[in-house]
Protein backbone atom coordinates (compact mmCIF):
# COMPACT_ATOMS: atom_id res chain seq x y z
CA UNK A 1 0.00 0.00 0.00
CA UNK A 2 2.85 2.35 0.83
CA UNK A 3 4.47 1.63 -2.53
CA UNK A 4 1.21 2.47 -4.34
CA UNK A 5 0.84 5.70 -2.37
CA UNK A 6 4.45 6.62 -3.15
CA UNK A 7 3.89 5.93 -6.86
CA UNK A 8 0.79 8.19 -6.92
CA UNK A 9 2.74 10.88 -5.08
CA UNK A 10 5.58 10.64 -7.59
CA UNK A 11 3.12 10.96 -10.50
CA UNK A 12 1.52 13.99 -8.83
CA UNK A 13 4.91 15.67 -8.33
CA UNK A 14 5.88 14.94 -11.93
CA UNK A 15 2.62 16.48 -13.13
CA UNK A 16 3.20 19.56 -10.99
CA UNK A 17 6.71 19.93 -12.42
CA UNK A 18 5.36 19.65 -15.96
CA UNK A 19 2.80 22.36 -15.22
CA UNK A 20 5.51 24.57 -13.71
CA UNK A 21 7.74 24.12 -16.77
CA UNK A 22 4.84 24.87 -19.09
CA UNK A 23 3.91 28.00 -17.14
CA UNK A 24 7.55 29.10 -17.13
CA UNK A 25 7.73 28.68 -20.92
CA UNK A 26 4.47 30.59 -21.33
CA UNK A 27 5.77 33.39 -19.11
CA UNK A 28 9.03 33.54 -21.05
CA UNK A 29 7.11 33.82 -24.30
CA UNK A 30 4.89 36.52 -22.80
CA UNK A 31 7.78 38.59 -21.50
CA UNK A 32 9.56 38.39 -24.88
CA UNK A 33 7.01 40.92 -26.13
CA UNK A 34 8.65 44.30 -25.58
CA UNK A 35 5.41 45.99 -24.53
CA UNK A 36 4.78 43.31 -21.91
CA UNK A 37 8.35 43.64 -20.65
CA UNK A 38 7.95 47.42 -20.31
CA UNK A 39 4.63 47.10 -18.47
CA UNK A 40 6.20 44.57 -16.11
CA UNK A 41 9.22 46.83 -15.54
CA UNK A 42 6.98 49.81 -14.77
CA UNK A 43 4.94 47.67 -12.39
CA UNK A 44 8.05 46.53 -10.53
CA UNK A 45 10.62 49.30 -10.68
CA UNK A 46 8.56 52.50 -10.40
CA UNK A 47 6.93 51.52 -7.06
CA UNK A 48 10.25 50.14 -5.80
CA UNK A 49 12.20 53.31 -6.58
CA UNK A 50 9.53 55.61 -5.16
CA UNK A 51 9.38 53.46 -2.01
CA UNK A 52 13.17 53.73 -1.61
CA UNK A 53 13.13 57.49 -2.07
CA UNK A 54 10.25 57.74 0.42
CA UNK A 55 12.16 55.63 2.93
CA UNK A 56 15.15 57.95 2.59
CA UNK A 57 12.95 61.03 2.94
CA UNK A 58 11.46 59.66 6.16
CA UNK A 59 14.95 59.14 7.55
CA UNK A 60 16.12 62.62 6.56
CA UNK A 61 14.55 66.06 6.66
CA UNK A 62 16.42 67.03 3.52
CA UNK A 63 14.02 65.44 1.05
CA UNK A 64 10.66 67.14 0.69
CA UNK A 65 7.49 65.20 0.03
CA UNK A 66 6.61 67.78 -2.64
CA UNK A 67 9.13 66.20 -5.02
CA UNK A 68 7.22 62.90 -5.21
CA UNK A 69 4.46 63.82 -7.73
CA UNK A 70 6.87 64.93 -10.50
CA UNK A 71 9.37 62.25 -9.52
CA UNK A 72 6.81 59.45 -9.88
CA UNK A 73 5.62 60.84 -13.20
CA UNK A 74 9.16 61.22 -14.51
CA UNK A 75 10.16 57.73 -13.37
CA UNK A 76 7.17 56.26 -15.19
CA UNK A 77 8.16 58.18 -18.34
CA UNK A 78 11.66 56.74 -18.22
CA UNK A 79 10.72 53.10 -17.77
CA UNK A 80 7.65 53.05 -20.01
CA UNK A 81 9.53 54.39 -23.04
CA UNK A 82 13.25 53.74 -22.55
CA UNK A 83 14.06 54.68 -26.15
CA UNK A 84 11.78 57.68 -26.31
CA UNK A 85 12.35 61.42 -26.48
CA UNK A 86 12.45 61.90 -22.72
CA UNK A 87 14.37 58.72 -21.82
CA UNK A 88 17.64 60.54 -21.10
CA UNK A 89 19.08 60.49 -17.57
CA UNK A 90 20.88 63.86 -18.02
CA UNK A 91 17.70 65.48 -19.33
CA UNK A 92 15.66 63.90 -16.57
CA UNK A 93 17.93 65.25 -13.83
CA UNK A 94 18.63 68.54 -15.58
CA UNK A 95 15.00 69.25 -16.48
CA UNK A 96 13.58 68.69 -13.00
CA UNK A 97 16.49 70.57 -11.40
CA UNK A 98 16.02 73.47 -13.82
CA UNK A 99 12.32 73.58 -12.91
CA UNK A 100 13.11 73.74 -9.19
CA UNK A 101 15.71 76.47 -9.71
CA UNK A 102 13.36 78.50 -11.91
CA UNK A 103 10.63 78.21 -9.29
CA UNK A 104 13.03 79.48 -6.62
CA UNK A 105 14.12 82.34 -8.88
CA UNK A 106 10.50 83.30 -9.49
CA UNK A 107 9.91 83.53 -5.71
CA UNK A 108 12.95 85.78 -5.36
CA UNK A 109 11.89 88.10 -8.22
CA UNK A 110 8.31 88.48 -7.03
CA UNK A 111 9.61 89.11 -3.49
CA UNK A 112 11.90 91.87 -4.72
CA UNK A 113 8.96 93.40 -6.59
CA UNK A 114 6.94 93.39 -3.37
CA UNK A 115 4.22 91.21 -4.80
CA UNK A 116 2.45 89.13 -2.17
CA UNK A 117 0.55 86.05 -3.20
CA UNK A 118 -2.53 84.35 -1.82
CA UNK A 119 -1.99 82.37 1.36
CA UNK A 120 -2.21 78.60 0.84
CA UNK A 121 -1.66 76.60 3.99
CA UNK A 122 0.53 79.35 5.46
CA UNK A 123 2.56 79.72 2.21
CA UNK A 124 2.21 82.82 0.07
CA UNK A 125 1.62 81.82 -3.57
CA UNK A 126 1.71 84.59 -6.15
CA UNK A 127 -0.18 84.27 -9.41
CA UNK A 128 2.55 86.32 -11.08
CA UNK A 129 5.17 84.05 -9.48
CA UNK A 130 3.42 80.97 -10.85
CA UNK A 131 3.32 82.40 -14.35
CA UNK A 132 6.91 83.61 -14.09
CA UNK A 133 8.17 80.21 -12.91
CA UNK A 134 6.54 78.50 -15.89
CA UNK A 135 7.95 81.12 -18.28
CA UNK A 136 11.47 80.78 -16.90
CA UNK A 137 11.26 76.99 -16.93
CA UNK A 138 10.14 76.94 -20.54
CA UNK A 139 12.88 79.38 -21.58
CA UNK A 140 15.66 77.52 -19.73
CA UNK A 141 14.67 73.98 -20.78
CA UNK A 142 14.25 75.13 -24.39
CA UNK A 143 17.62 76.87 -24.44
CA UNK A 144 19.47 73.97 -22.79
CA UNK A 145 17.50 71.29 -24.68
CA UNK A 146 16.17 69.93 -21.39
CA UNK A 147 12.53 69.74 -22.33
CA UNK A 148 10.92 67.70 -19.59
CA UNK A 149 7.19 67.74 -18.78
CA UNK A 150 7.98 67.15 -15.11
CA UNK A 151 10.12 70.30 -15.00
CA UNK A 152 6.98 72.45 -15.01
CA UNK A 153 5.47 70.46 -12.14
CA UNK A 154 8.67 70.90 -10.15
CA UNK A 155 8.67 74.64 -10.84
CA UNK A 156 5.12 75.09 -9.50
CA UNK A 157 5.66 72.87 -6.46
CA UNK A 158 8.71 74.94 -5.54
CA UNK A 159 6.32 77.87 -4.88
CA UNK A 160 4.86 75.88 -1.97
CA UNK A 161 8.17 75.28 -0.22
CA UNK A 162 8.46 78.79 1.22
CA UNK A 163 11.77 79.33 2.98
CA UNK A 164 12.82 75.70 2.40
CA UNK A 165 13.19 76.14 -1.34
CA UNK A 166 16.99 75.68 -1.22
CA UNK A 167 16.58 72.31 0.49
CA UNK A 168 13.89 71.45 -2.06
CA UNK A 169 16.21 72.12 -4.97
CA UNK A 170 18.86 69.93 -3.37
CA UNK A 171 16.35 67.15 -2.73
CA UNK A 172 15.31 67.27 -6.40
CA UNK A 173 18.93 66.89 -7.50
CA UNK A 174 19.58 63.93 -5.17
CA UNK A 175 16.36 62.06 -5.82
CA UNK A 176 16.45 62.45 -9.62
CA UNK A 177 20.11 61.40 -9.69
CA UNK A 178 19.20 58.25 -7.73
CA UNK A 179 16.35 57.37 -10.10
CA UNK A 180 18.36 58.21 -13.21
CA UNK A 181 21.23 55.98 -12.07
CA UNK A 182 18.88 53.06 -11.46
CA UNK A 183 17.21 53.58 -14.85
CA UNK A 184 20.54 53.79 -16.67
CA UNK A 185 21.75 50.56 -15.06
CA UNK A 186 18.47 48.79 -15.91
CA UNK A 187 18.56 49.94 -19.52
CA UNK A 188 22.24 49.23 -20.18
CA UNK A 189 22.56 45.97 -18.26
CA UNK A 190 19.18 44.40 -18.97
CA UNK A 191 16.81 46.11 -21.41
CA UNK A 192 19.33 46.67 -24.21
CA UNK A 193 20.56 43.10 -23.74
CA UNK A 194 17.15 41.46 -23.40
CA UNK A 195 17.76 39.31 -26.48
CA UNK A 196 20.70 37.72 -24.68
CA UNK A 197 18.70 37.06 -21.50
CA UNK A 198 15.17 36.40 -22.74
CA UNK A 199 15.24 35.21 -26.36
CA UNK A 200 15.82 31.47 -26.38
CA UNK A 201 17.19 31.22 -29.93
CA UNK A 202 20.04 33.63 -29.15
CA UNK A 203 21.17 31.25 -26.41
CA UNK A 204 20.49 27.96 -28.21
CA UNK A 205 19.60 26.52 -31.61
CA UNK A 206 23.30 25.87 -32.16
CA UNK A 207 23.08 22.06 -32.57
CA UNK A 208 21.26 21.61 -35.87
CA UNK A 209 19.93 18.36 -37.30
CA UNK A 210 19.47 18.15 -41.08
CA UNK A 211 17.44 15.31 -42.62
CA UNK A 212 19.16 14.76 -45.98
CA UNK A 213 16.13 14.42 -48.24
CA UNK A 214 15.20 15.48 -51.73
CA UNK A 215 17.07 17.33 -54.46
CA UNK A 216 17.99 20.40 -52.38
CA UNK A 217 19.49 18.56 -49.40
CA UNK A 218 22.97 19.99 -50.02
CA UNK A 219 21.75 23.62 -50.07
CA UNK A 220 19.64 22.96 -46.98
CA UNK A 221 22.64 21.53 -45.13
CA UNK A 222 24.74 24.59 -46.02
CA UNK A 223 21.94 26.85 -44.80
CA UNK A 224 21.83 24.94 -41.51
CA UNK A 225 25.60 25.20 -41.22
CA UNK A 226 25.43 29.01 -41.58
CA UNK A 227 22.97 29.09 -38.69
CA UNK A 228 25.07 26.81 -36.48
CA UNK A 229 28.34 28.61 -37.26
CA UNK A 230 27.10 31.80 -35.57
CA UNK A 231 27.66 30.17 -32.16
CA UNK A 232 30.98 28.88 -30.87
CA UNK A 233 29.32 25.66 -29.72
CA UNK A 234 27.54 25.14 -33.03
CA UNK A 235 27.52 21.85 -34.88
CA UNK A 236 25.58 20.16 -37.67
CA UNK A 237 24.28 16.60 -37.62
CA UNK A 238 23.46 15.14 -41.04
CA UNK A 239 20.83 12.39 -40.97
CA UNK A 240 20.07 9.98 -43.79
CA UNK A 241 17.12 7.63 -43.50
CA UNK A 242 17.57 4.23 -45.13
CA UNK A 243 14.27 2.83 -46.38
CA UNK A 244 13.24 -0.81 -46.28
CA UNK A 245 12.93 -0.81 -50.08
CA UNK A 246 16.61 0.17 -50.46
CA UNK A 247 17.68 -2.67 -48.18
CA UNK A 248 15.42 -5.13 -50.01
CA UNK A 249 16.84 -4.07 -53.37
CA UNK A 250 20.41 -4.44 -52.12
CA UNK A 251 19.59 -7.83 -50.62
CA UNK A 252 18.14 -9.02 -53.92
CA UNK A 253 21.33 -8.00 -55.68
CA UNK A 254 23.47 -9.86 -53.15
CA UNK A 255 21.39 -13.00 -53.50
CA UNK A 256 21.66 -12.88 -57.28
CA UNK A 257 25.42 -12.38 -57.11
CA UNK A 258 26.07 -15.18 -54.61
CA UNK A 259 23.42 -17.59 -55.71
CA UNK A 260 22.10 -17.56 -52.15
CA UNK A 261 24.98 -19.91 -51.12
CA UNK A 262 27.43 -19.21 -48.28
CA UNK A 263 31.07 -18.81 -49.19
CA UNK A 264 33.23 -21.98 -48.84
CA UNK A 265 34.50 -22.40 -45.31
CA UNK A 266 32.47 -19.43 -44.16
CA UNK A 267 29.84 -19.08 -41.49
CA UNK A 268 26.34 -18.72 -42.88
CA UNK A 269 25.50 -16.25 -40.14
CA UNK A 270 28.41 -14.06 -41.23
CA UNK A 271 27.16 -13.90 -44.79
CA UNK A 272 23.47 -13.38 -44.09
CA UNK A 273 22.24 -11.42 -47.13
CA UNK A 274 19.89 -9.24 -45.07
CA UNK A 275 22.62 -8.14 -42.67
CA UNK A 276 25.06 -7.61 -45.52
CA UNK A 277 22.48 -5.56 -47.40
CA UNK A 278 21.85 -3.36 -44.37
CA UNK A 279 25.58 -2.77 -43.92
CA UNK A 280 26.04 -2.06 -47.61
CA UNK A 281 23.22 0.47 -47.83
CA UNK A 282 24.25 2.13 -44.56
CA UNK A 283 27.86 2.35 -45.72
CA UNK A 284 26.90 3.95 -49.01
CA UNK A 285 24.68 6.46 -47.19
CA UNK A 286 27.47 7.27 -44.73
CA UNK A 287 29.90 7.91 -47.60
CA UNK A 288 27.46 10.35 -49.20
CA UNK A 289 26.99 12.14 -45.90
CA UNK A 290 30.73 12.32 -45.25
CA UNK A 291 31.33 14.00 -48.61
CA UNK A 292 28.73 16.63 -47.74
CA UNK A 293 30.08 16.96 -44.19
CA UNK A 294 33.56 17.56 -45.61
CA UNK A 295 32.31 20.46 -47.73
CA UNK A 296 30.55 21.94 -44.73
CA UNK A 297 33.66 21.73 -42.55
CA UNK A 298 35.79 23.28 -45.30
CA UNK A 299 33.48 26.08 -46.45
CA UNK A 300 31.76 27.02 -43.19
CA UNK A 301 34.19 25.79 -40.55
CA UNK A 302 31.61 24.20 -38.29
CA UNK A 303 31.85 20.66 -36.81
CA UNK A 304 29.70 18.17 -38.67
CA UNK A 305 28.59 14.66 -37.69
CA UNK A 306 26.76 12.01 -39.74
CA UNK A 307 24.04 9.60 -38.66
CA UNK A 308 22.38 6.85 -40.69
CA UNK A 309 19.10 5.47 -39.37
CA UNK A 310 16.50 3.01 -40.57
CA UNK A 311 13.26 4.51 -41.81
CA UNK A 312 11.04 2.26 -39.77
CA UNK A 313 7.58 3.72 -39.33
CA UNK A 314 7.17 7.48 -39.59
CA UNK A 315 10.21 9.35 -40.99
CA UNK A 316 9.31 12.39 -38.87
CA UNK A 317 9.34 10.27 -35.71
CA UNK A 318 12.82 8.97 -36.56
CA UNK A 319 14.05 12.52 -37.20
CA UNK A 320 12.68 13.81 -33.90
CA UNK A 321 14.04 10.84 -31.95
CA UNK A 322 17.47 11.35 -33.53
CA UNK A 323 17.34 15.05 -32.67
CA UNK A 324 16.77 14.21 -29.02
CA UNK A 325 19.48 11.56 -28.95
CA UNK A 326 21.99 13.87 -30.68
CA UNK A 327 21.08 16.75 -28.33
CA UNK A 328 19.93 18.95 -31.22
CA UNK A 329 17.61 21.88 -30.51
CA UNK A 330 16.88 22.84 -34.12
CA UNK A 331 15.84 20.84 -37.18
CA UNK A 332 16.44 22.32 -40.64
CA UNK A 333 14.67 20.28 -43.30
CA UNK A 334 14.18 20.72 -47.04
CA UNK A 335 10.77 22.16 -47.87
CA UNK A 336 8.30 19.56 -49.10
CA UNK A 337 4.75 20.06 -50.24
CA UNK A 338 1.84 17.92 -51.31
CA UNK A 339 -1.24 19.18 -53.13
CA UNK A 340 -0.14 22.79 -52.68
CA UNK A 341 0.39 22.49 -48.93
CA UNK A 342 3.03 21.19 -46.55
CA UNK A 343 3.86 17.50 -46.80
CA UNK A 344 2.83 15.24 -43.89
CA UNK A 345 6.54 14.93 -43.01
CA UNK A 346 7.02 18.68 -42.51
CA UNK A 347 3.66 19.04 -40.78
CA UNK A 348 4.66 16.35 -38.27
CA UNK A 349 7.88 18.24 -37.52
CA UNK A 350 5.92 21.46 -37.01
CA UNK A 351 3.62 19.68 -34.55
CA UNK A 352 6.54 18.81 -32.26
CA UNK A 353 7.85 21.17 -29.52
CA UNK A 354 11.21 21.69 -31.22
CA UNK A 355 12.38 24.60 -33.36
CA UNK A 356 12.11 23.75 -37.06
CA UNK A 357 13.06 25.57 -40.26
CA UNK A 358 11.71 24.32 -43.59
CA UNK A 359 14.08 25.61 -46.27
CA UNK A 360 12.98 25.97 -49.90
CA UNK A 361 15.93 26.41 -52.26
CA UNK A 362 15.29 27.59 -55.82
CA UNK A 363 18.58 29.37 -56.58
CA UNK A 364 21.10 26.72 -55.58
CA UNK A 365 23.09 29.32 -53.64
CA UNK A 366 24.97 28.53 -50.44
CA UNK A 367 25.53 32.13 -49.27
CA UNK A 368 22.78 34.54 -48.40
CA UNK A 369 23.81 38.20 -47.99
CA UNK A 370 20.52 40.05 -48.58
CA UNK A 371 17.76 38.74 -46.34
CA UNK A 372 14.17 39.95 -46.07
CA UNK A 373 12.16 39.02 -42.97
CA UNK A 374 8.37 39.26 -43.24
CA UNK A 375 6.80 39.82 -39.80
CA UNK A 376 3.07 39.75 -39.10
CA UNK A 377 3.13 40.18 -35.32
CA UNK A 378 5.66 40.51 -32.49
CA UNK A 379 6.62 37.55 -30.36
CA UNK A 380 9.08 34.73 -29.94
CA UNK A 381 8.64 33.46 -33.50
CA UNK A 382 9.50 36.90 -34.89
CA UNK A 383 12.60 37.03 -32.68
CA UNK A 384 13.69 33.59 -33.96
CA UNK A 385 13.21 34.74 -37.57
CA UNK A 386 15.39 37.81 -36.99
CA UNK A 387 18.02 35.80 -35.16
CA UNK A 388 18.30 33.23 -37.97
CA UNK A 389 18.36 35.96 -40.62
CA UNK A 390 21.19 37.74 -38.83
CA UNK A 391 23.14 34.51 -38.42
CA UNK A 392 22.84 33.58 -42.09
CA UNK A 393 23.66 37.03 -43.49
CA UNK A 394 26.66 37.45 -41.18
CA UNK A 395 28.14 40.86 -40.33
CA UNK A 396 28.67 41.84 -43.96
CA UNK A 397 25.11 41.12 -45.04
CA UNK A 398 21.95 43.19 -44.84
CA UNK A 399 18.67 42.31 -43.14
CA UNK A 400 15.42 44.07 -44.01
CA UNK A 401 12.36 43.62 -41.80
CA UNK A 402 8.93 44.33 -43.24
CA UNK A 403 5.29 44.18 -42.29
CA UNK A 404 2.14 44.97 -44.25
CA UNK A 405 -0.85 46.98 -43.08
CA UNK A 406 -4.30 47.49 -44.54
CA UNK A 407 -4.90 51.04 -43.24
CA UNK A 408 -2.66 54.09 -42.97
CA UNK A 409 -3.83 54.62 -39.40
CA UNK A 410 -1.89 51.48 -38.40
CA UNK A 411 1.45 52.72 -39.74
CA UNK A 412 2.76 54.28 -36.54
CA UNK A 413 1.96 51.19 -34.50
CA UNK A 414 3.59 48.96 -37.12
CA UNK A 415 6.73 51.11 -37.18
CA UNK A 416 6.93 50.95 -33.39
CA UNK A 417 6.53 47.17 -33.50
CA UNK A 418 9.39 46.78 -35.98
CA UNK A 419 11.60 49.11 -33.96
CA UNK A 420 11.01 47.06 -30.80
CA UNK A 421 11.79 43.86 -32.70
CA UNK A 422 15.12 44.91 -34.20
CA UNK A 423 16.43 47.09 -31.37
CA UNK A 424 17.78 44.25 -29.12
CA UNK A 425 19.86 42.73 -31.93
CA UNK A 426 23.35 43.87 -32.86
CA UNK A 427 23.92 45.36 -36.27
CA UNK A 428 21.83 47.53 -38.55
CA UNK A 429 18.42 46.72 -39.94
CA UNK A 430 16.18 48.27 -42.54
CA UNK A 431 12.52 48.43 -41.51
CA UNK A 432 9.70 48.82 -44.00
CA UNK A 433 5.94 49.19 -43.61
CA UNK A 434 3.89 48.65 -46.76
CA UNK A 435 0.24 49.11 -47.69
CA UNK A 436 0.51 46.32 -50.29
CA UNK A 437 -0.61 42.79 -49.59
CA UNK A 438 2.12 40.50 -48.36
CA UNK A 439 1.96 38.51 -51.60
CA UNK A 440 2.44 41.60 -53.77
CA UNK A 441 5.15 43.08 -51.56
CA UNK A 442 7.25 39.92 -51.48
CA UNK A 443 6.77 39.26 -55.19
CA UNK A 444 8.11 42.71 -56.03
CA UNK A 445 11.04 42.55 -53.60
CA UNK A 446 12.06 38.90 -54.00
CA UNK A 447 14.39 39.49 -56.99
CA UNK A 448 16.52 41.93 -54.98
CA UNK A 449 17.05 39.51 -52.07
CA UNK A 450 18.80 36.18 -51.62
CA UNK A 451 16.48 34.84 -48.93
CA UNK A 452 13.03 35.54 -47.54
CA UNK A 453 12.22 34.44 -43.98
CA UNK A 454 8.58 33.93 -43.00
CA UNK A 455 6.76 32.35 -40.07
CA UNK A 456 5.01 29.00 -40.09
CA UNK A 457 1.94 30.47 -38.33
CA UNK A 458 1.82 27.48 -35.98
CA UNK A 459 1.08 29.85 -33.10
CA UNK A 460 -2.26 30.77 -34.69
CA UNK A 461 -5.55 28.97 -34.21
CA UNK A 462 -6.96 26.73 -36.92
CA UNK A 463 -9.79 29.20 -37.52
CA UNK A 464 -7.32 32.04 -37.97
CA UNK A 465 -5.25 30.05 -40.46
CA UNK A 466 -8.42 29.15 -42.36
CA UNK A 467 -9.51 32.80 -42.68
CA UNK A 468 -6.00 34.06 -43.46
CA UNK A 469 -3.70 31.35 -44.89
CA UNK A 470 -0.06 31.37 -43.73
CA UNK A 471 2.25 33.69 -45.63
CA UNK A 472 4.40 30.86 -47.00
CA UNK A 473 1.35 29.37 -48.77
CA UNK A 474 0.82 32.69 -50.57
CA UNK A 475 4.38 32.99 -51.87
CA UNK A 476 5.16 29.46 -53.01
CA UNK A 477 5.98 30.72 -56.50
CA UNK A 478 8.60 33.28 -55.41
CA UNK A 479 11.82 33.24 -57.41
CA UNK A 480 13.86 33.38 -54.20
CA UNK A 481 14.99 31.03 -51.44
CA UNK A 482 12.51 30.89 -48.57
CA UNK A 483 12.97 29.81 -44.93
CA UNK A 484 9.80 28.97 -42.98
CA UNK A 485 10.41 29.22 -39.25
CA UNK A 486 8.46 27.27 -36.64
CA UNK A 487 9.12 28.12 -33.00
CA UNK A 488 8.71 25.11 -30.73
CA UNK A 489 7.23 25.09 -27.25
Amino acid sequence: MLSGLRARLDRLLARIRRVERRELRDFQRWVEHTNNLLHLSVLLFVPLLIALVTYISNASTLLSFLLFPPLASGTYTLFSDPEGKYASPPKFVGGMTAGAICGSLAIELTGLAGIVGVSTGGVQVSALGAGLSIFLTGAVTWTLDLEEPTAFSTALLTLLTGSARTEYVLSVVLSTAFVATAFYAWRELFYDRRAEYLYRTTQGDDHVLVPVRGETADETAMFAARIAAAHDAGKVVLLDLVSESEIAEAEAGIRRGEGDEPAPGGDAADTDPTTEAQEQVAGQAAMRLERLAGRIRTQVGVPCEVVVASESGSPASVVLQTAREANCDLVVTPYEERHGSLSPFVKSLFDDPIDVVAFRSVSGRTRWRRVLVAVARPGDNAHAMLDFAKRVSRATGTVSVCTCIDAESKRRRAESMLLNLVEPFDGTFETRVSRDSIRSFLSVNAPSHDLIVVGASTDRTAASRFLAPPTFEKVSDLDCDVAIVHRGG
Side-chain angles (χ1 to χ4, degrees), residues 239-287:
L239 170 66
D240 196 357
L241 300 181
V242 178
S243 65
E244 297 293 335
S245 61
E246 291 179 276
I247 298 176
E249 184 178 348
E251 182 180 351
I254 294 172
R255 291 184 183 278
R256 287 194 300 269
E258 298 183 356
D260 202 17
E261 291 291 336
D267 189 349
D270 294 337
T271 58
D272 177 59
T274 302
T275 302
E276 187 176 348
Q278 292 173 344
E279 294 176 351
Q280 177 181 312
V281 173
Q284 293 172 350
M287 290 178 61

Side-chain angles (χ1 to χ4, degrees), residues 131-436:
L132 184 59
S133 67
I134 295 298
F135 172 78
L136 292 174
T137 301
V140 170
T141 55
W142 182 25
T143 302
L144 300 179
D145 193 23
L146 296 173
E147 293 180 278
E148 275 289 338
T150 51
F152 298 96
S153 298
T154 309
L156 289 177
L157 289 172
T158 307
L159 302 179
L160 300 177
T161 58
S163 60
R165 54 184 176 274
T166 302
E167 291 81 358
Y168 181 74
V169 173
L170 185 57
S171 69
V172 169
V173 174
L174 295 176
S175 60
T176 53
F178 174 77
V179 171
T181 301
F183 167 74
Y184 181 80
W186 169 82
R187 187 176 65 180
E188 295 297 318
L189 300 179
F190 176 75
Y191 180 76
D192 287 346
R193 300 171 61 182
R194 61 190 183 276
E196 177 182 347
Y197 296 132
L198 299 179
Y199 301 171
R200 196 182 71 191
T201 58
T202 60
Q203 306 169 38
D205 286 341
D206 46 13
H207 293 179
V208 187
L209 178 71
V210 183
V212 180
R213 298 165 57 94
E215 299 177 354
T216 62
D218 288 11
E219 293 84 353
T220 303
M222 294 299 292
F223 177 80
R226 302 288 179 190
I227 292 178
H231 289 179
D232 293 337
K235 75 171 182 178
V236 175
V237 179
L238 301 178
L239 170 66
D240 196 357
L241 300 181
V242 178
S243 65
E244 297 293 335
S245 61
E246 291 179 276
I247 298 176
E249 184 178 348
E251 182 180 351
I254 294 172
R255 291 184 183 278
R256 287 194 300 269
E258 298 183 356
D260 202 17
E261 291 291 336
D267 189 349
D270 294 337
T271 58
D272 177 59
T274 302
T275 302
E276 187 176 348
Q278 292 173 344
E279 294 176 351
Q280 177 181 312
V281 173
Q284 293 172 350
M287 290 178 61
R288 292 194 301 269
L289 294 182
E290 282 294 348
R291 287 194 293 268
L292 177 57
R295 293 205 306 272
I296 290 175
R297 297 186 191 103
T298 302
Q299 298 181 26
V300 186
V302 65
C304 191
E305 302 174 1
V306 300
V307 176
V308 179
S310 175
E311 188 182 286
S312 55
S314 168
S317 299
V318 178
V319 170
L320 295 173
Q321 180 180 352
T322 305
R324 287 188 287 268
E325 293 175 351
N327 194 30
C328 293
D329 46 10
L330 173 65
V331 175
V332 176
T333 182
Y335 176 78
E336 299 177 7
E337 65 177 23
R338 181 179 296 179
H339 307 305
S341 184
L342 290 177
S343 69
F345 171 75
V346 179
K347 285 183 178 178
S348 297
L349 295 181
F350 281 175
D351 289 338
D352 193 80
I354 188 173
D355 292 351
V356 179
V357 176
F359 180 71
R360 186 180 74 109
S361 175
V362 298
S363 65
R365 69 173 69 249
T366 57
R367 291 179 179 270
W368 299 268
R369 298 298 188 192
R370 299 163 299 172
V371 183
L372 177 63
V373 182
V375 176
R377 66 190 64 81
D380 55 344
N381 202 68
H383 298 148
M385 292 159 60
L386 285 173
D387 182 36
F388 294 152
K390 197 62 184 174
R391 294 198 210 181
V392 169
S393 64
R394 301 292 184 91
T396 58
T398 60
V399 178
S400 300
V401 188
C402 73
T403 190
C404 294
I405 56 176
D406 54 14
E408 194 63 29
S409 59
K410 299 179 181 179
R411 179 173 296 275
R412 181 169 296 182
R413 179 180 298 177
E415 290 174 345
S416 177
M417 177 195 72
L418 295 182
L419 178 62
N420 287 334
L421 284 175
V422 304
E423 195 272 332
F425 293 92
D426 294 331
T428 57
F429 294 84
E430 177 194 19
T431 59
R432 302 176 63 180
V433 178
S434 175
R435 285 288 306 275
D436 292 335

Side-chain angles (χ1 to χ4, degrees), residues 372 374-376 402-407 411 432-446 452 454 468-472 474-475 477-478:
L372 177 63
V375 176
C402 73
T403 190
C404 294
I405 56 176
D406 54 14
R411 179 173 296 275
R432 302 176 63 180
V433 178
S434 175
R435 285 288 306 275
D436 292 335
S437 66
I438 188 64
R439 180 197 295 268
S440 300
F441 180 83
L442 294 182
S443 298
V444 170
N445 288 274
I452 291 178
V454 298
T471 299
F472 69 85
K474 305 175 186 177
V475 295
D477 57 346
L478 286 180

